[in-house]
Amino acid sequence: MSHDHHHHHTGNKKVLLIALVLIAILMSIEVIGGILTNSLALLADATHMLSDFFAIGLALLAFKFGERAASKSKTFGYKRIEILAALANGVILIGISAFVIWHAMERFISPPEVAGGGVLITASIAIVINLIIAGVFLHGGDVKGNLNIQGAFLHVLGDILSTIGVLISGLLMIFFDWMYADPIISMIVSLIILFTGFRISKNAIHVLMEGKPASISLARIEEQLLTLPNVLAVHDLHVWSITSDFPAFSGHLVVDTETNRDELLRKSTNLLQEKFNLSHATIQIEGTDWECKTRCH
């Protein structure tokens, strides 16, 4: 693995650990605030935080398992656990959205009384802590490149939106005595959570189904390989992801009989690394008289 990957991996673990501690503190604050103010909204948000605590804890465990060395039975090691954790996070997000929708519908029928002052103070503290957590992710974690970190970060964004919703609904109920503000905002937040949950789940399933990374073009790879000396044809190209930041490649090159195959292997491997960031490549070189005895895929 590259130094950059190792740097991201170490940074991601540190980010998750910091986030886990801060979320535990925030969850405790919201539980205490919810009890003292008799606020169901704060207690519901604390439940949201509890789900995030477990989700981020799962993501951290996934990174730890991912460090385990490859074995004869698991030749790529345990790196796919990161993707399984990302899928679990996505499913949790979908579950949270369903819970919020149900809770919002219940509040439309019977809007609860809220102790506004205490709710506003608690929600303000929660927003500050959530923004700190988001900042930790953005400055220390690989939010764009790692599905596992992306899933955890989306949980944090959901927390921020949910807490802002609590804050706004508290203000509306205090100043306008409009008790329907809480279920309306809860419904909006739930739809956002639902969208992000489906997106992260879809991306994780794509990796598990050996889908091609969106940033890599098979047509472009074929075009570049055909520019190499003595390469007559290419076929059976496959690109997939072992985990979110570890793409892999396999393919066949058809060459003429005078080709220096070791030199071609070196050039093709370097090309894939430099132009497509494919550091793990398996290339089969074939002469024009070679025929696939079984069906080539």
Side-chain angles (χ1 to χ4, degrees):
M1 300 298 294
S2 67
H3 172 75
D4 185 59
H5 173 77
H6 176 74
H7 172 74
H8 278 311
H9 189 77
T10 303
N12 287 338
K13 287 194 300 178
K14 184 178 179 180
V15 163
L16 289 173
L17 184 59
I18 293 172
L20 201 64
V21 173
L22 290 175
I23 285 174
I25 294 171
L26 176 54
M27 182 174 60
S28 301
I29 291 172
E30 288 197 326
V31 168
I32 294 171
I35 293 172
L36 293 178
T37 62
N38 196 30
S39 169
L40 293 174
L42 278 176
L43 291 175
D45 201 45
T47 303
H48 188 181
M49 297 300 302
L50 178 63
S51 70
D52 289 355
F53 180 83
F54 283 115
I56 291 177
L58 177 62
L60 184 60
L61 287 176
F63 277 115
K64 294 298 294 182
F65 273 105
E67 293 174 346
R68 296 177 64 178
S71 65
K72 291 182 178 180
S73 62
K74 294 178 178 60
T75 56
F76 280 108
Y78 292 80
K79 300 186 184 304
R80 273 280 172 91
I81 289 182
E82 291 185 20
I83 303 302
L84 292 173
L87 178 59
N89 281 348
V91 171
I92 290 172
L93 282 170
I94 293 171
I96 289 171
S97 68
F99 169 78
V100 174
I101 290 172
W102 171 79
H103 196 59
M105 292 175 65
E106 192 176 59
R107 289 192 173 193
F108 272 116
I109 299 172
S110 179
E113 293 291 332
V114 178
V119 171
L120 292 180
I121 293 172
T122 306
S124 298
I125 294 172
I127 287 174
V128 171
I129 296 177
N130 271 319
L131 289 174
I132 292 173
I133 296 172
V136 170
F137 270 96
L138 289 173
H139 290 92
D142 186 17
V143 174
K144 293 183 178 180
N146 188 283
L147 276 178
N148 205 24
I149 287 292
Q150 190 180 110
F153 180 65
L154 288 173
H155 277 283
V156 176
L157 292 183
D159 291 337
I160 294 173
L161 291 173
S162 178
T163 307
I164 289 174
V166 174
L167 188 95
I168 293 174
S169 64
L171 287 170
L172 290 172
M173 286 185 283
I174 288 172
F175 292 104
F176 301 100
D177 197 31
W178 193 44
M179 295 301 172
Y180 289 103
D182 183 82
I184 290 173
I185 292 175
S186 297
M187 190 71 73
I188 294 172
V189 171
S190 70
L191 292 175
I192 295 172
I193 295 173
L194 186 66
F195 172 77
T196 55
F198 273 119
R199 187 176 70 174
I200 195 67
S201 298
K202 177 183 176 182
N203 290 340
I205 290 172
H206 183 72
V207 173
L208 293 174
M209 292 294 293
E210 311 288 1
K212 179 185 70 66
S215 61
I216 298 176
S217 167
L218 276 179
R220 180 67 176 158
I221 290 176
E222 181 176 357
E223 176 185 301
Q224 288 293 308
L225 289 174
L226 285 171
T227 65
L228 294 174
N230 306 112
V231 175
L232 305 177
V234 298
H235 63 94
D236 296 330
L237 303 184
H238 300 279
V239 180
W240 70 102
S241 295
I242 304 303
T243 189
S244 55
D245 51 359
F246 184 8
F249 169 86
S250 70
H252 297 233
L253 305 182
V254 180
V255 301
D256 59 36
T257 56
E258 298 179 357
T259 302
N260 183 329
R261 297 193 176 194
D262 288 340
E263 178 66 13
L264 177 60
L265 184 60
R266 183 185 65 80
K267 288 182 178 180
S268 58
T269 301
N270 289 341
L271 182 150
L272 292 169
Q273 169 67 51
E274 293 170 4
K275 292 186 177 293
F276 302 98
N277 197 31
L278 288 164
S279 59
H280 185 88
T282 303
I283 301 171
Q284 179 169 317
I285 299 177
E286 308 160 356
T288 55
D289 58 345
W290 186 90
E291 292 184 4
C292 189
K293 300 302 181 183
T294 59
R295 183 179 179 183
C296 294
H297 298 281

